[in-house]
Amino acid sequence: MEESARKYIDEIQSVVGVTACALVSSEGRILGKHFPEGDITSSLFAAMCATVLASAEAACGSVDVERPTLVTVASADATVLIVSVGEATLITAVIDRSADLPAVQRQLLDIAARIGEEEA
């Protein structure tokens, strides 16, 4: 997965508006990443994103709603997108607030679908 992870990280990073990203296991382990130089918090970011997705799954399950494919965390200066890739992997991305968020979401969901096909 390491070689394909690099390929997908490069593709995610090239999406206009993505400032940082990582492919993460459902347990929070980084499979591949692109973070600004000197960033030492990428492992914490990955673990917390996996936790957010797991919490969203639990919340959905408690009200008989299907497993979420995308979780959005919005703040004043950026948006964090967490995209489910099957059961074992997720895409995490920090999106600049000036980005076209619906376009970024569509692109990341397309990438997630391709990763899911490769993993299957």
Side-chain angles (χ1 to χ4, degrees), residues 25-92:
S25 73
S26 57
E27 295 86 29
R29 186 175 55 85
I30 294 177
L31 306 173
K33 67 178 181 171
H34 169 75
F35 277 77
E37 269 316 297
D39 181 23
I40 58 171
T41 62
S42 57
S43 59
L44 177 61
F45 175 77
M48 293 301 100
C49 285
T51 300
V52 167
L53 183 62
S55 295
E57 289 172 349
C60 288
S62 70
V63 291
D64 293 324
V65 172
E66 284 188 38
R67 183 176 188 261
T69 56
L70 182 134
V71 174
T72 304
V73 180
S75 74
D77 60 343
T79 299
V80 175
L81 294 179
I82 306 165
V83 183
S84 179
V85 181
E87 295 286 324
T89 309
L90 50 134
I91 295 171
T92 62

Side-chain angles (χ1 to χ4, degrees), residues 15-16 70 72 79 81 95-110:
V15 173
V16 174
L70 182 134
T72 304
T79 299
L81 294 179
I95 313 303
D96 184 80
R97 70 181 180 97
S98 65
D100 179 354
L101 193 57
V104 173
Q105 289 173 333
R106 281 191 303 276
Q107 292 174 56
L108 294 183
L109 286 167
D110 288 346

